[in-house]
Amino acid sequence: METSKTRSTFQTITSRELNGFRVRKRPCFADDSSQFSRIGAFDYGVEDDVTPPMALSFCKTSKNAHILAVTGEDGYVCLYNTRFKFSDSATRAENAEKARKCQWLAHDNAIFDVCWIKDDTNLLTACGDHSIKVWDSQERKCLLALTGHIGSVKSVSAHPSNNDIIVSGSRDGSFALWDLRCAKSTRAHSNTLPIATVQGAHKSSSVKTRGRHNKAASMSVTSVLYMKDEVSIATAGAADSVIKFWDTRSLKAPITQACSQDMSSRKWARSYGISSLSQDLNGVYISASCMDSRIYLFNVLQLEKGPVKSFEGSNIGTFFVKSKLSPDAGHIVGGSSDGFAYVWQVNKPQADPVKLEGHDGEVTAVDWCSHEVGKIATAADDSVVQLWNINSSCYSNTRSPSSIRRRERTLPVMKRRKLFTQEDEKDSNIGPDPDSPVELTVQTDSPNLTSIPEIRTPASLKKQLFSPHIKDACEGSPDASFGSPSSVLNPPPSIKRKTILDYFLTPSS
């Protein structure tokens, strides 16, 4: 009896396990691969010509979100229906034949990137033949050919709201802005020249190279990203781990930059390039896949602080290995040179990632489905595309880090009650705050309030916003008569938008 009373807690637990009563373990995302299920797998390729896929992208609209575009070294574009019920008894070739909706030869060279635009009616393909083509996804017809780069086009991204404006990055060391409305028709086809080009955007004089090909690789722009503020562009290159941010209205120099490595403390440290950039749906975070086999997460509002989080576990051995931040910024999926895909939970950067097994080659391209929550597509050098799904229980319990954007600006409940119930006549003589938001309605949960005041723009500011000369400037802009890119790059001075920093940041109170 005395021995049983003095028995430690550890001995009690051990005794229970020996008798078959095991202690229930706490669920852990990083150690439980069962949170992910494989939907299906299919071969990429046309007939018996199976080639490695290079890029893939889900459609952006809810109606077509299940359609996946895959491109490869053979220059083909293949569209697949990912809602097809893949059979475990069928071969990957049979699954591909049944899931494939259509295919066409887009280029005579490898297609490195693909992007849906204009409600999925058009498709952009960035190719090693130095061109970008705009395709009618229904008719599979080339609408435009964007020519101007003198190297392989590695990345392409569209303006968030105006898909006629796109940006591309090339192996020649430049990135270019294009306006699809400025097409010049010829007898053969329609082509378009860039409206602005920045040469040597990521050229590094400190990188020692030998030969023409190595020199081109060291200055290559590996990834471009049109920011959600609709004004700025983010670019990354192979020379270093620096992300540069550019104002499209003045491309003489970057407005700011962020580095994933602290080079000041390590004078002789090696500099690693970046293979891909991605941004969440709210535009709060940017992820960067670095060649030091880490994925870095940056807060757009705090770029000067460097990466806020980093994620390890994968092997980023080539610039073909990409990663993608989920639309809600809750997870990051990345490829790896070891033949696996990895998924990290953003809220737990120190935890080991979930390993997605099934590929037999370097996992390169990855993407999230924007409207089917938790669906992932991965592609590898084994010429196989695999579809995965995060179980709803795991995904729903993960709170989106970007959902707390500007939450700190909300007034506490007690302060709001005090503000609404205060009847001091002195406050009526104080003018409205010039920094108060436009048409901002503040609500409270108090049931005793019969009316809720509204904080509105001062009358003088309203008058200025709707003044005749502003209206004339808008009507006289080039965009009013013809979709000219000057409306994007050089809007009227009175209605110019701020840069990325001024757009997001607010004065500290």
Side-chain angles (χ1 to χ4, degrees), residues 28 32 99 115 119 126 130 137-138 161 172 235 247 290 309 314 341 351 366 386-387 410 415 430 445 465 482 490:
C28 179
D32 191 1
C115 178
D119 295 333
H130 309 174
S137 59
Q138 297 291 333
S161 61
D172 60 16
T235 62
D247 188 338
C290 191
K309 296 178 182 179
S314 64
V366 295
Q386 299 205 43
L387 302 174
T410 305
K415 288 186 178 181
I430 300 177
D445 298 332
L465 290 175
F482 176 74
N490 294 294

Side-chain angles (χ1 to χ4, degrees), residues 122-313:
N122 292 161
L123 191 68
L124 300 174
T125 55
C127 185
D129 61 6
H130 309 174
S131 71
I132 306 165
K133 288 186 178 181
V134 184
W135 296 90
D136 185 325
S137 59
Q138 297 291 333
E139 301 295 334
R140 302 189 292 277
K141 177 183 178 182
C142 181
L143 303 177
L144 292 173
L146 312 183
T147 58
H149 286 297
I150 57 174
S152 300
V153 184
K154 309 294 289 186
S155 179
V156 62
S157 179
H159 189 281
S161 61
N162 183 3
N163 290 168
D164 283 318
I165 307 296
I166 67 172
V167 59
S168 62
S170 173
R171 185 182 171 89
D172 60 16
S174 69
F175 72 89
L177 277 175
W178 313 79
D179 192 327
L180 305 184
R181 298 165 295 187
C182 297
K184 296 180 179 179
S185 299
T186 62
R187 292 183 179 180
H189 59 272
S190 298
N191 56 22
T192 301
L193 296 176
I195 57 178
T197 304
V198 176
Q199 301 289 344
H202 287 267
K203 185 177 181 180
S204 178
S205 58
S206 60
V207 179
K208 296 182 180 180
T209 58
R210 293 181 179 180
R212 179 174 61 89
H213 295 286
N214 290 335
K215 183 177 180 180
S218 66
M219 60 186 293
S220 174
V221 177
T222 56
S223 185
V224 293
L225 192 64
Y226 224 122
M227 304 288 288
K228 300 298 183 181
D229 66 348
E230 304 181 358
V231 176
S232 309
I233 292 173
T235 62
D240 50 37
S241 55
V242 175
I243 305 174
K244 295 184 179 181
F245 298 86
W246 310 76
D247 188 338
T248 55
R249 299 161 300 185
S250 178
L251 295 172
K252 295 181 180 179
I255 56 176
T256 187
Q257 63 184 30
C259 184
S260 59
Q261 296 177 299
D262 185 8
M263 304 303 295
S264 59
S265 60
R266 298 179 297 172
K267 185 176 180 180
W268 303 106
R270 177 184 172 185
S271 181
Y272 296 88
I274 293 176
S275 63
S276 66
L277 299 174
S278 67
Q279 192 175 23
D280 66 289
L281 190 61
N282 293 326
V284 180
Y285 294 101
I286 288 181
S287 68
S289 298
C290 191
M291 294 297 292
D292 62 355
S293 293
R294 292 183 177 91
I295 299 175
Y296 296 93
L297 190 70
F298 297 85
N299 190 327
V300 175
L301 309 180
Q302 301 173 347
L303 293 173
E304 71 283 354
K305 295 183 179 181
V308 295
K309 296 178 182 179
S310 63
F311 305 87
E312 302 180 20

Side-chain angles (χ1 to χ4, degrees), residues 71-88:
T71 62
E73 287 185 347
D74 54 2
Y76 272 87
V77 175
C78 296
L79 304 185
Y80 297 93
N81 177 14
T82 60
R83 289 179 184 168
F84 171 77
K85 294 183 179 180
F86 297 92
S87 174
D88 295 335

Side-chain angles (χ1 to χ4, degrees), residues 355-508:
K355 183 187 294 185
L356 304 181
E357 303 179 3
H359 287 291
D360 294 328
E362 183 179 66
V363 181
T364 53
V366 295
D367 195 24
W368 295 86
C369 183
S370 58
H371 290 276
E372 295 184 16
V373 178
K375 180 183 282 188
I376 306 172
T378 61
D381 285 348
D382 58 2
S383 303
V384 175
V385 177
Q386 299 205 43
L387 302 174
W388 309 83
N389 185 56
I390 302 179
N391 293 345
S392 58
S393 59
C394 170
Y395 205 94
S396 60
N397 291 334
T398 303
R399 185 177 180 181
S400 169
S402 63
S403 64
I404 60 175
R405 181 180 183 183
R406 291 190 176 182
R407 188 178 295 272
E408 66 274 5
R409 292 177 61 86
T410 305
L411 292 174
V413 176
M414 294 305 297
K415 288 186 178 181
R416 284 183 281 171
R417 291 178 180 176
K418 184 178 180 180
L419 174 65
F420 299 149
T421 57
Q422 188 174 6
E423 298 179 356
D424 191 356
E425 296 295 332
K426 295 181 180 181
D427 294 340
S428 61
N429 298 328
I430 300 177
D433 185 4
D435 294 331
S436 61
V438 180
E439 296 292 334
L440 175 62
T441 303
V442 181
Q443 299 180 355
T444 179
D445 298 332
S446 175
N448 299 326
L449 296 177
T450 57
S451 62
I452 300 176
E454 295 183 350
I455 303 175
R456 296 181 178 273
T457 305
S460 59
L461 183 58
K462 285 185 177 180
K463 183 177 180 180
Q464 180 181 357
L465 290 175
F466 296 95
S467 58
H469 72 277
I470 296 292
K471 183 178 180 180
D472 295 338
C474 295
E475 293 178 351
S477 63
D479 189 59
S481 58
F482 176 74
S484 171
S486 61
S487 61
V488 177
L489 302 180
N490 294 294
S494 58
I495 60 173
K496 275 190 177 181
R497 300 184 66 175
K498 300 179 181 180
T499 64
I500 181 174
L501 296 181
D502 296 330
Y503 184 86
F504 286 109
L505 295 178
T506 57
S508 59

